[in-house]
Amino acid sequence: MRRNPKPTPMPLDTAPSTTHLDTATRTWHVRPAFRGPEAEDPTLRAAYRLCRRTTRQHDPAIHALVQLMPAVLRPACWALWAAASVHDDLADQPDVEPALRAARADSWTRALQHDLAVGTSADPIRYALVDTAGRWRLDLSGLQEALARTRDDIHGVRLPDWAAWRARCNEGILPWVDQVRHLFEQAGTSLTLRLDRQAEYKRFIEGSQLTDILTDLSADLAEGELLLPLEALEPFPGAEADLLRRRWSPAVAALITEQTALARRWVSRPAMTRGMHPGPATLLDTAAALMRVQLDAIDAAGPTLLKRPPLPSLAARTRVLAPARLRSSLAWSLTPLTVPGPRSRGAGRREPSPAADGPAGLRPPPPHPDGVRPPRIPADRMPAHVAVIMDGNGRWAVQRGLPRSEGHRAGIAALRETVYGALEIGLPHLTLYMFSTENWKRDTEEIATILEAIQGELDDGPLRDLDLRHRWSGRPDRLPQDLVHALRREEHRTRGRTGLTLTTCVDYGGRDEITRTAAALVRAAREGEVDPDLLGEDDFARHLPHPDMPDVDLLWRTGDEQRVSNFLPWQAAYAELHFTQDHWPDVDRRNLWQAISEYSRRQRRHGAAVPAPAPSPERVM
């Protein structure tokens, strides 16, 4: 599946390379942008120039948008998109057998892994990407799934519905978008996405993908591919057969009209950039405007859409890009930026330590000091998801004559022990209630201690090297930006891990989550995506911040309190409850195992009657 529409290139040359400090404004003005020892390497300069030409040739719309970024970031973006384009080309060659295309794509991916490990490459595109990863401290491991998705698409894919289509699109594009977001953060310009606008961001990306598919329809049909989901085709009988025969018909015309209107709604998200830094806001608003221009060209193409990609006029593109250049230039001239330091050799990969063990060099959890091992729980009695209210930190400290804040520091050891125990017993999902929306009512020093402890664990804690996938649930608008960045970073860094899924709830409230989900449903209803009269539980669950989070099987609370305190009310509707007297800092992994063992002995009916005991042989007569 191609990533970007292919309008004709725009002549957008940059100014000569300079970096100076305006002493009046104390602002760094940065233009592209290589002044370290590596930058003087003619081979490296040539590699980046090739990446720029490749991006411009394959993705002129992306090239135009990159020109709206700070000049210091442009070469890195050229390297990223050139690598994506080259890999796509290997997968899309129509005159090559699918098996050979797949082999070539795999070979390129393996070569990239090798080049990242050694810190250089004989291939100029990969050489620039390796340099970018080292210079900007990028972790490129998350791109593996995107590259694998591109390889898998070689053999063709038909998607049944929009849900499958969205999942497939996100696998291919989001890892690349995450790299660009990380570049902005490394340069000191945050692109942290507000949690209450996640649906807006996702819909925008889906709109760009749908625009891409409509633009490339003629090329895909020439290869016998139709990348729209079956759900989109069903309301137009005969349209699928006509498209595959490359025949324009009333059904095809009606289908294209509906899809362009849908893509237009998806890319037009004015709330997405409200309150955002003017630089990134200009970038996203311009991307949306360019896609609307492209959709205008698709609407106007008619039957020629099945013969060649539609191209918007030069005048239409200029009307969008000319003012955008002025706005972005002003925004970045007033923005302090961090120029990358010397390249860090070996960045872009996670290198196992000599003592590492387990998947991909990840460490196993350390054994319990007493040598105890987890109990053996039958698979059909094992909970899939345990949620924990970690209560009693403050009271633990007060009982010992210590400030309440010391109890929260002591609770970190219990947190680690619980995670170790979850990994050892094979628990798939563990969710920890770390800071609630109501906890803001506490003393300022206590709040600061809790948030600092969470950030310290994210930055330097021993959990980083375990086989766990980290996720975060909560609101970012009141949290310190450094903590939000750390939470997002760990989500990205661990997204490919397959062990325990650890969800930390920070500034989380169950009612707040339900309210935001209801707002998302209202937006979906306005766009015609759901029918309020036919709304079901599945529709609600799909609009939760983490729709793939399984229901909670066991909810455990420490601290001798017996209430659920606004924790996961939707997901824990049928949870078994387990309350214990120990304060959280006194807990270790054995307490988790005990809770799971007790759960395994309970009979869960979910509203059904207790099965009647089977009659004994004597009573059968």
Side-chain angles (χ1 to χ4, degrees):
M1 187 181 294
R2 295 166 179 82
R3 287 184 179 78
N4 304 288
K6 310 294 190 296
T8 53
M10 293 291 295
L12 297 168
D13 294 325
T14 59
S17 300
T18 59
T19 303
H20 68 276
L21 178 64
D22 185 336
T23 55
T25 62
R26 306 296 297 175
T27 300
W28 282 102
H29 301 268
V30 187
R31 298 182 176 89
F34 300 117
R35 292 297 181 189
E38 300 94 336
E40 302 306 320
D41 178 1
T43 304
L44 183 59
R45 290 202 303 273
Y48 275 110
R49 291 193 189 102
L50 176 60
C51 289
R52 180 180 180 179
R53 290 196 300 272
T54 302
T55 302
R56 192 170 182 169
Q57 176 184 355
H58 286 73
D59 299 293
I62 290 294
H63 182 271
L65 292 172
V66 170
Q67 297 302 100
L68 303 180
M69 296 181 182
V72 71
L73 294 181
R74 293 173 195 167
C77 291
W78 298 334
L80 284 165
W81 287 102
S85 299
V86 167
H87 192 263
D88 275 354
D89 283 350
L90 292 172
D92 285 342
Q93 293 172 303
D95 55 344
V96 178
E97 289 294 321
L100 181 55
R101 279 186 276 160
R104 289 175 177 176
D106 282 340
S107 177
W108 194 93
T109 301
R110 288 194 299 271
L112 175 61
Q113 293 171 335
H114 171 269
D115 295 344
L116 288 167
V118 300
T120 188
S121 177
D123 177 89
I125 299 288
R126 292 199 300 269
Y127 185 26
L129 186 58
V130 168
D131 182 76
T132 289
R135 191 179 298 275
W136 291 99
R137 276 69 170 178
L138 299 184
D139 178 2
L140 300 186
S141 59
L143 297 181
Q144 296 299 320
E145 60 190 82
L147 297 174
R149 205 295 311 269
T150 301
R151 187 269 321 280
D152 292 344
D153 284 352
I154 291 172
H155 303 287
V157 59
R158 292 309 311 272
L159 301 170
D161 52 32
W162 284 112
W165 181 88
R166 290 186 179 102
R168 198 71 174 170
C169 289
N170 289 340
E171 288 175 5
I173 193 65
L174 285 181
W176 299 96
V177 173
D178 282 345
Q179 296 298 330
V180 175
R181 194 167 75 186
H182 184 69
L183 283 173
F184 273 88
E185 291 174 353
Q186 289 289 86
T189 302
S190 172
L191 271 182
T192 299
L193 305 181
R194 285 183 51 164
L195 200 62
D196 58 350
R197 295 179 188 165
Q198 288 296 309
E200 300 284 316
Y201 304 130
K202 290 179 181 178
R203 192 65 83 222
F204 176 78
I205 290 175
E206 291 159 7
S208 72
Q209 293 295 285
L210 184 54
T211 303
D212 184 12
I213 288 173
L214 295 171
T215 299
D216 287 333
L217 191 60
S218 59
D220 291 334
L221 292 174
E223 299 175 18
E225 295 182 356
L226 183 55
L227 301 179
L228 292 171
L230 297 177
E231 181 182 352
L233 300 169
E234 287 171 354
F236 305 94
E240 180 178 4
D242 290 337
L243 281 171
L244 291 174
R245 295 188 185 98
R246 305 183 73 180
R247 181 175 65 191
W248 189 261
S249 67
V252 169
L255 170 68
I256 298 302
T257 298
E258 177 169 295
Q259 296 308 306
T260 53
L262 182 62
R264 198 180 304 276
R265 288 202 305 271
W266 285 355
V267 301
S268 300
R269 324 302 298 183
M272 181 175 62
T273 57
R274 196 173 298 143
M276 187 179 284
H277 181 286
T282 298
L283 183 66
L284 291 174
D285 289 339
T286 304
L290 285 175
M291 283 186 279
R292 287 193 292 269
V293 167
Q294 182 65 30
L295 290 165
D296 290 340
I298 293 169
D299 278 332
T304 62
L305 183 66
L306 307 186
K307 299 177 181 178
R308 57 183 177 272
L311 299 176
S313 69
L314 177 62
R317 294 194 304 272
T318 302
R319 281 196 299 271
V320 172
L321 289 171
R325 292 174 194 158
L326 293 175
R327 290 196 302 270
S328 63
S329 177
L330 177 61
W332 297 126
S333 70
L334 300 174
T335 302
L337 296 173
T338 301
V339 181
R343 191 177 112 193
S344 174
R345 182 179 178 87
R349 62 191 173 94
R350 179 169 37 81
E351 193 169 11
S353 62
D357 191 12
L362 297 173
R363 296 178 182 274
H368 189 276
D370 294 342
V372 294
R373 299 294 301 159
R376 293 184 179 180
I377 307 293
D380 62 342
R381 308 297 297 170
M382 182 75 180
H385 186 184
V386 174
V388 186
I389 301 174
M390 307 181 299
D391 194 21
N393 289 327
R395 281 169 286 154
W396 178 91
V398 170
Q399 288 177 1
R400 288 159 176 77
L402 300 171
R404 287 178 58 86
S405 56
E406 290 303 315
H408 298 296
R409 293 191 178 96
I412 291 295
L415 182 152
R416 295 172 182 169
E417 269 291 302
T418 302
V419 172
Y420 296 156
L423 284 164
E424 285 189 317
I425 202 170
L427 183 67
H429 289 265
L430 176 67
T431 299
L432 303 178
Y433 206 3
M434 301 187 73
F435 189 83
S436 77
T437 51
E438 291 80 15
N439 286 153
W440 292 106
K441 302 172 185 176
R442 297 190 177 188
D443 178 80
T444 303
E445 182 181 352
E446 184 176 354
I447 292 172
T449 300
I450 295 172
L451 299 184
E452 288 169 4
I454 294 172
Q455 174 137 12
E457 196 65 12
L458 292 167
D459 291 341
D460 301 309
L463 303 183
R464 289 173 53 85
D465 294 327
L466 303 178
D467 187 18
L468 59 86
R469 174 191 176 205
H470 190 276
R471 297 209 304 185
W472 164 46
S473 188
R475 297 182 54 175
D477 47 315
R478 294 181 292 190
L479 293 172
Q481 284 300 300
D482 287 349
L483 177 56
V484 174
H485 292 165
L487 289 161
R488 291 297 189 206
R489 180 200 68 218
E490 289 306 290
E491 285 188 313
H492 171 75
R493 189 179 68 87
T494 63
R495 62 190 299 170
R497 296 184 184 176
T498 58
L500 171 70
T501 296
L502 174 66
T503 303
T504 53
C505 295
V506 184
D507 200 8
Y508 171 88
R511 287 183 174 179
D512 176 74
E513 180 178 64
I514 288 176
T515 301
R516 288 186 285 113
T517 302
L521 277 171
V522 170
R523 289 191 293 269
R526 285 175 179 169
E527 296 186 3
E529 297 173 9
V530 297
D531 184 344
D533 295 327
L534 301 176
L535 197 65
E537 291 184 8
D538 289 345
D539 298 300
F540 189 92
R542 281 198 303 272
H543 289 81
L544 287 165
H546 291 299
D548 58 339
M549 175 184 282
D551 284 348
V552 176
D553 296 311
L554 173 63
L555 192 153
W556 168 31
R557 179 173 188 147
T558 63
D560 201 22
E561 300 285 356
Q562 298 189 14
R563 54 182 179 271
V564 296
S565 296
N566 197 24
F567 186 39
L568 301 174
W570 179 270
Q571 299 88 343
Y574 290 97
E576 294 292 318
L577 304 180
H578 180 70
F579 301 108
T580 57
Q581 295 182 347
D582 292 329
H583 294 142
W584 180 248
D586 291 326
V587 164
D588 71 8
R589 70 190 80 181
R590 292 171 297 185
N591 299 85
L592 173 68
W593 296 341
Q594 181 180 356
I596 291 175
S597 296
E598 181 175 322
Y599 167 89
S600 71
R601 293 189 290 269
R602 295 187 185 182
Q603 187 175 39
R604 308 192 74 202
R605 299 189 294 275
H606 296 285
V610 179
S616 63
E618 301 90 81
R619 291 182 176 179
V620 172
M621 301 301 295

